[in-house]
Amino acid sequence: MSDTASQTENRPEREAMEYDVVIVGAGPAGLSAAIRLKQLDPEISVVVLEKGSEVGAHILSGAVLDPCGLDRLLPDWREMGAPITVPVRDDRFYMLGESGSIRLPNAIMPPLMNNHGNYIVSMGNVCRWMAEKAEELGVEVFPGMSCSEIVWGEDGRVAGVVAGEFGKNPDGTPGPGYEPGMELLGKYVFLGEGVRGSLSKQVIERFALAEGREPQKYGLGMKEIWEIDPAKHSEGRVVHTMGWPLEKNAGGGSFIYHLDNNQVYVGFVVHLGYKNPYLRPYQEFQRFKHHPMVAELLKGGKRVAYGARAITEGGWQSLPKTAFPGGALLGCSAGMVNVPRIKGNHNAMLSGIHAAEAAFEAIGAGRAGDVLESYDTAVREGAIGKDLKKVRNVKPIWSRWGLTASMALGGFDMWTNTLGFSLLGTLGHGKSDAEATEPAKDHVKIVYPKPDGVLSFDRLTNVSFSGTNHEESQPCHLKLKDPNVPIAHNLPVYAEPAQRYCPAGVYEVVEKEGGPEFVINFQNCVHCKTCDIKDPTQNIVWTVPQGGDGPNYPNM
């Protein structure tokens, strides 16, 4: 029996609604696509489905926004009242040691690292504003609607998605208040789920979109919002650091962005290709805040929000084919982050614009459900591809030879790429982040200081500042392919790293009378998807919980 026939036979009866374009995810990519479609043809029918309780609830980004994508989408955004009001006024780079720092001269930085003309923003608030603009144009935007399944057409294409399924029992059977959800069918389906989207994974695998590409690479980004002493605040200042506390344990670095209202975004990124299974990315972040430079800035302030999410870091050589039968991968669903710039929102917006233009042309020609080849060409040969290609070697250099080589050789490569060539060609990434994890016997445990409750905090306390909530009676959305693997294999070989790589304390190994037990506290999940990426046996599969569940970020 074919997959399509099996799905038709086993799925519950559902109502269906038809649209020209169905968009999964109300992030910058999905909303840009929706707005552009309506700009091109006000009569085209467009729906945007968002799993967060409201638009922006699950959006977490640095963020310093390069406005080039928004300039193209809504050139009058300044006059339209966009929540983009803090231009970058001061750009600083530091190399940290344990007790000191060295400021790197801006003059030695490649031109593309310059933040002149960019803005410090809350991408959650930018997306809320964009959703308002989309609705004003006639786009239907439905938050609280997790898309749990793909609807496959009889010809094997992506024909739509299932959204709004509620009321299952913990074992997955329909409960007394079960709602089967609806099928949202489209001539084209755009997947803008963000990093490691559950539907995007299926599509990439089914259509072999990553064939011939390097493995995708990822980082874990963690972020807190702090209110600080006005005397220490410098609106528009952007600070990036490298070095301590990670040093040789892992790649990564920090960001500190001074927005308005005496607030700063304090963030930390750990590249997930690290080898030592004892490393704890969250504790590295907390330790970073005790550096004298950072501690002095935060002294007398208070943390008001926390969140975490994975970041796609593979870049140009890991970018899959972005068009498939019946739809397209947008933004981080494909992986469009410029790693050294720590920026992807501009490319996400551009991808949405390109996808909209390709679908508009196809629908106008009477087509539906085919491969939007012109979209993939626009991504690879246009501004997005050029942006990613210039920095394509920075990540593999860092992964292979470390921070010093990345700064020297990677910086040199970015300079030459500014002139249109690279002496290194295109370097490969090699192993996936899961494969990079080495056995515990080959490494020494890392002892981390206890949080002081002033600058540093334990995971569960910080999760309470993310607004995270999951209905406990639903099935666990974190699936194990084999329930025996965590204790039978991962514990003896890797000391079960899920206990340590998760920034929300979801996974525990609990000693019971009959032996150790692997416990999943899915209620804590902030939807970062690190487990889906870093689990060394790839045994954990992240899926969507009921719509609206998860974090509720206010200004991330």
Side-chain angles (χ1 to χ4, degrees):
M1 184 182 294
S2 70
D3 289 352
T4 305
S6 173
Q7 184 193 53
T8 303
E9 184 176 294
N10 296 325
R11 69 186 180 213
E13 259 189 60
R14 295 185 171 105
E15 292 182 24
M17 294 182 67
E18 295 188 7
Y19 293 86
D20 290 315
V21 179
V22 174
I23 300 173
V24 180
L31 290 169
S32 294
I35 290 169
R36 185 63 183 140
L37 282 162
K38 283 292 190 179
Q39 288 174 336
L40 291 166
D41 181 1
E43 299 305 313
I44 205 165
S45 58
V46 184
V47 64
V48 177
L49 305 164
E50 166 57 39
K51 70 181 173 68
S53 60
E54 64 170 352
V55 173
H58 290 179
I59 297 291
L60 186 148
S61 186
V64 172
L65 177 67
D66 179 340
C68 64
L70 200 56
D71 285 341
R72 179 165 174 183
L73 181 69
L74 297 166
D76 298 328
W77 57 265
R78 292 168 181 84
E79 292 74 33
M80 296 170 71
I84 304 173
T85 58
V86 182
V88 175
R89 296 186 174 95
D90 183 16
D91 220 354
R92 301 186 178 197
F93 302 88
Y94 290 92
M95 176 64 70
L96 299 187
E98 187 168 357
S99 58
S101 61
I102 298 173
R103 184 175 176 185
L104 305 177
N106 288 45
I108 68 171
M109 294 294 171
L112 60 87
M113 297 294 287
N114 187 347
N115 276 306
H116 179 74
N118 298 332
Y119 293 80
I120 301 171
V121 301
S122 157
M123 280 310 298
N125 290 339
V126 171
C127 287
R128 290 180 179 97
W129 177 81
M130 290 179 70
E132 291 175 4
K133 300 301 133 189
E135 288 180 317
E136 288 171 7
L137 292 170
V139 175
E140 296 181 34
V141 180
F142 296 136
M145 294 285 277
S146 288
C147 296
S148 53
E149 295 178 35
I150 291 172
V151 178
W152 302 100
E154 291 183 2
D155 55 357
R157 73 177 179 92
V158 174
V161 295
V162 174
E165 190 174 21
F166 290 90
K168 284 186 176 180
N169 292 317
D171 64 359
T173 58
Y178 176 67
E179 294 286 343
M182 296 186 66
E183 291 185 357
L184 287 300
L185 308 176
K187 294 173 182 173
Y188 296 99
V189 176
F190 293 168
L191 299 179
E193 300 173 287
V195 180
R196 199 77 166 188
S198 53
L199 302 185
S200 302
K201 275 180 63 180
Q202 295 176 44
V203 167
I204 290 170
E205 182 177 353
R206 185 181 181 105
F207 296 115
L209 302 180
E211 189 174 336
R213 287 6 183 219
E214 285 291 307
Q216 187 59 266
K217 303 290 283 183
Y218 299 89
L220 171 59
M222 297 153 286
K223 175 181 173 182
E224 295 172 354
I225 303 178
W226 280 72
E227 291 178 358
I228 65 169
D229 181 346
K232 301 174 183 178
H233 187 257
S234 181
E235 184 175 310
R237 174 171 292 172
V238 165
V239 176
H240 291 106
T241 79
M242 297 169 286
W244 190 88
L246 289 173
E247 296 174 324
K248 294 182 179 180
N249 284 326
S254 84
F255 59 85
I256 301 173
Y257 302 154
H258 292 242
L259 59 158
D260 50 6
N261 299 319
N262 298 315
Q263 290 192 331
V264 293
Y265 293 147
V266 182
F268 200 79
V269 177
V270 177
H271 300 169
L272 290 175
Y274 62 82
K275 299 175 182 179
N276 187 347
Y278 290 115
L279 187 129
R280 298 174 181 259
Y282 176 84
Q283 273 81 354
E284 297 287 349
F285 174 32
Q286 298 305 301
R287 187 160 62 157
F288 157 75
K289 291 182 291 177
H290 286 273
H291 187 276
M293 184 180 81
V294 185
E296 178 56 33
L297 175 70
L298 301 181
K299 183 179 178 182
K302 65 176 182 178
R303 162 221 44 186
V304 296
Y306 166 74
R309 61 163 287 177
I311 304 166
T312 50
E313 295 187 337
W316 171 254
Q317 49 272 69
S318 299
L319 190 69
K321 184 170 182 179
T322 55
F324 52 84
L329 299 171
L330 309 184
C332 279
S333 287
M336 299 181 183
V337 171
N338 181 313
V339 173
R341 295 183 75 200
I342 324 180
K343 289 180 180 63
N345 290 306
H346 63 299
N347 285 336
M349 291 179 180
L350 289 171
S351 75
I353 294 167
H354 291 320
E357 291 171 348
F360 166 73
E361 181 183 4
I363 292 169
R367 291 158 42 204
D370 60 332
V371 179
L372 296 170
E373 296 287 1
S374 62
Y375 167 62
D376 189 66
T377 300
V379 168
R380 299 193 71 81
E381 297 182 4
I384 297 171
K386 290 173 183 174
D387 185 52
L388 297 179
K389 204 167 184 180
K390 286 178 184 177
V391 301
R392 65 191 181 278
N393 290 322
V394 174
K395 172 71 175 178
I397 290 171
W398 199 332
S399 298
R400 292 183 187 194
W401 301 303
L403 174 60
T404 304
S406 175
M407 291 181 61
L409 189 56
F412 173 76
D413 192 63
M414 282 192 284
W415 270 106
T416 61
N417 269 292
T418 302
L419 303 174
F421 69 94
S422 170
L423 297 176
L424 302 178
T426 299
L427 299 175
H429 293 303
K431 296 178 180 178
S432 71
D433 292 333
E435 294 168 334
T437 313
E438 295 181 346
K441 66 179 178 62
D442 298 333
H443 293 275
V444 177
K445 290 183 179 179
I446 302 172
V447 179
Y448 290 97
K450 290 184 177 179
D452 65 0
V454 179
L455 289 177
S456 50
F457 313 96
D458 65 81
R459 285 185 293 185
L460 296 186
T461 298
N462 242 357
V463 168
S464 70
F465 280 77
S466 68
T468 297
N469 182 62
H470 292 86
E471 172 57 54
E472 295 187 20
S473 63
Q474 68 182 295
C476 175
H477 65 280
L478 302 161
K479 313 292 186 185
L480 300 180
K481 295 177 185 176
D482 183 345
N484 298 310
V485 164
I487 300 302
H489 181 77
N490 282 359
L491 186 60
V493 177
Y494 301 103
E496 187 42 87
Q499 307 171 83
R500 294 177 290 278
Y501 59 58
C502 174
V506 168
Y507 302 100
E508 293 180 274
V509 174
V510 179
E511 292 296 333
K512 297 282 183 76
E513 260 186 48
E517 181 180 323
F518 190 64
V519 176
I520 302 176
N521 304 300
F522 74 87
Q523 299 89 342
N524 296 350
C525 180
V526 294
H527 299 194
C528 73
K529 304 175 189 166
T530 301
C531 54
D532 196 293
I533 296 162
K534 187 60 177 170
D535 182 69
T537 51
Q538 290 294 271
N539 189 51
I540 300 173
V541 180
W542 192 96
T543 64
V544 291
Q546 290 183 163
D549 287 2
N552 280 282
Y553 296 135
N555 298 303
M556 286 295 195

